[in-house]
Amino acid sequence: GGVVLHYLVRLRPFAGLHRQLQGGEFDVPDRLFDSVPRTWDQCSKSSPTEVKELTPEWYSDPSFLRNNNRFQLGTSVNGKEVGDVVLPPWANNSPEKFIEINRQALESKICSQ
């Protein structure tokens, strides 16, 4: 359940469940999911034991990447306000394009072998 709340913190009812888990507040901003490239680096390079299963939203629902509810997620130690999720350059800052390419990759022959 924690991984689902980690990725879906910008959506209801997950934001409320996340706050319940954290004593009524959002977690420390630097621990919130805020960047696909940073999460990828953590899982694949800097911290290979940091393994998180992707939720179906990664292939179907771009809204989990936007802070459309305008939740106050805080400011990181480097002074950046946590809001929408930072996407990889190939997504051109478009959650829709990110989801479309993820879905195409998932449905490709290499993934079904």
Side-chain angles (χ1 to χ4, degrees), residues 54-95:
L54 299 181
T55 61
E57 288 78 6
W58 283 76
Y59 307 97
S60 63
D61 185 4
S63 68
F64 89 100
L65 299 165
R66 290 192 186 101
N67 189 11
N68 289 334
N69 291 302
R70 295 191 175 107
F71 292 126
Q72 299 300 309
L73 301 173
T75 304
S76 66
V77 294
N78 67 5
K80 179 187 166 280
E81 186 176 329
V82 177
D84 293 344
V85 175
V86 175
L87 300 173
W90 52 261
N92 295 327
N93 207 29
S94 168

Side-chain angles (χ1 to χ4, degrees), residues 2-14:
V3 171
V4 173
L5 298 180
H6 176 72
Y7 286 138
L8 304 185
V9 68
R10 290 164 180 78
L11 300 177
R12 290 189 168 103
F14 305 102

Side-chain angles (χ1 to χ4, degrees), residues 6 9 15 17 24-25 31 38 45 48 55-56 73 86 104 109:
H6 176 72
V9 68
L17 296 170
E25 302 290 330
R31 288 197 300 239
R38 185 168 65 96
K45 298 175 187 168
T55 61
L73 301 173
V86 175
Q104 287 173 354
K109 287 186 178 189

